[in-house]
Amino acid sequence: NMENFIKEPVRKIGLGTTSLRGKISSQKTNRQHNFESGLERDFLQTIDFDSKVEYYCEQPITIEYKLDGVNHYYTPDVLVYYKDNKKYKPTLYEIKYRKNLKENWNEFRPKFKAAIEYAHSKNWRFKILTEKEIYTQHLENIKFLSNYREKIVDKKGFLTGIDETDFNLLRFHLDQIKETTPEELMLMASSNKEKQLELLYTIWYLVANNWCNCDLSKPLTIQSEIWVTS
């Protein structure tokens, strides 16, 4: 239930000089999200692209825990809610570079222990991610496809530069054939070389906006398999 989601950060990210800080716009939440490192930014981009994700919030909660009789506070980086909450529990994520994790493990450990206990009490999960899990082929593909996601749209809701006739033609062929490649689809739709290049732009638009699926774990090329979104 969206009403029960945590939607706003509890901790504002201030200006800093030690790491890359900024904001990233989300299509999923229709707001801007703060990040404190390039790794966090790339993770936010990944979950914004993930069709399994319903909603997410950065700096979502502050967990209080005791250490040697003294109260301490810890705010995990991101809380992610999934559409299928039976299969994927809401998950608190901590995003850290491996070097930082290794060097400061003794400092982080009680925080993470408190987060595991807190997540368990809410029937959530707690997960630590590093560049090993985030810097993947999947991320490379998302960065490529983000150029084709809806940004500036016209009155009919089409991305500026997308021709409605081309869009409908490609959708028609895709619906007929069910599974194809970008190369096959553009050859099917036109025999004109210049037109094929225009159509290729629209094909990547279809992939980027979930009109069709592809395997994002492999490098994206015009020979990549694409198929109708069920």
Side-chain angles (χ1 to χ4, degrees):
N1 189 339
M2 283 280 285
E3 288 171 18
N4 299 325
F5 288 180
I6 295 168
K7 294 181 182 174
E8 293 292 329
V10 293
R11 181 171 79 81
K12 298 295 178 199
I13 294 171
L15 292 172
T17 54
T18 55
S19 62
L20 177 67
R21 293 163 189 252
K23 292 177 185 287
I24 187 169
S25 293
S26 163
Q27 285 200 359
K28 210 173 277 290
T29 66
N30 294 315
R31 71 173 182 86
Q32 289 199 315
H33 294 264
N34 295 295
F35 58 82
E36 292 184 285
S37 70
L39 195 60
E40 270 185 41
R41 177 200 60 209
D42 291 341
F43 175 67
L44 291 175
Q45 197 170 9
T46 303
I47 54 176
D48 201 61
F49 221 91
D50 190 341
S51 58
K52 298 190 296 297
V53 170
E54 179 82 15
Y55 198 88
Y56 61 93
C57 179
E58 78 282 22
Q59 311 292 320
I61 48 149
T62 297
I63 298 163
E64 187 178 340
Y65 65 98
K66 269 191 163 51
L67 191 63
D68 301 325
V70 181
N71 284 351
H72 291 261
Y73 302 91
Y74 164 53
T75 305
D77 291 322
V78 189
L79 171 60
V80 178
Y81 296 98
Y82 293 92
K83 289 173 184 172
D84 185 348
N85 55 18
K86 287 187 175 70
K87 194 174 180 183
Y88 306 102
K89 290 179 182 179
T91 305
L92 282 170
Y93 286 97
E94 180 64 30
I95 313 300
K96 285 273 184 281
Y97 287 102
R98 289 172 79 82
K99 188 172 184 281
N100 184 9
L101 204 56
K102 198 174 174 183
E103 286 173 358
N104 301 288
W105 181 250
N106 288 340
E107 181 199 328
F108 293 147
R109 193 177 167 186
K111 295 180 181 184
F112 298 161
K113 186 173 180 287
I116 291 164
E117 287 168 6
Y118 181 88
H120 183 70
S121 75
K122 303 279 284 185
N123 199 26
W124 295 353
R125 293 174 70 216
F126 174 70
K127 209 168 180 184
I128 302 161
L129 296 181
T130 69
E131 64 270 29
K132 189 183 177 186
E133 292 80 29
I134 296 170
Y135 289 162
T136 60
Q137 182 62 53
H138 187 265
L139 178 66
E140 290 296 309
N141 291 335
I142 285 170
K143 285 183 177 290
F144 167 71
L145 290 172
S146 67
N147 298 309
Y148 299 90
R149 289 191 92 187
E150 292 191 55
K151 290 172 187 161
I152 303 160
V153 292
D154 63 20
K155 286 174 186 173
K156 288 183 179 176
F158 282 89
L159 185 73
T160 308
I162 295 294
D163 183 275
E164 194 177 347
T165 310
D166 290 351
F167 177 87
N168 290 332
L169 176 67
L170 291 166
R171 281 295 313 280
F172 171 78
H173 283 298
L174 200 52
D175 287 340
Q176 295 295 310
I177 199 165
K178 304 294 182 201
E179 197 174 304
T180 182
T181 65
E183 185 177 44
E184 210 172 66
L185 189 55
M186 67 184 184
L187 288 169
M188 211 181 295
S190 177
S191 56
N192 180 290
K193 285 276 193 288
E194 280 182 27
K195 187 66 188 171
Q196 284 168 5
L197 288 174
E198 282 177 33
L199 289 166
L200 185 59
Y201 185 91
T202 308
I203 291 166
W204 291 131
Y205 171 85
L206 289 169
V207 175
N209 293 286
N210 209 31
W211 291 101
C212 57
N213 283 331
C214 63
D215 185 350
L216 290 176
S217 68
K218 297 174 183 171
L220 276 184
T221 72
I222 57 170
Q223 278 89 33
S224 295
E225 278 187 24
I226 58 172
W227 59 92
V228 178
T229 302
S230 54

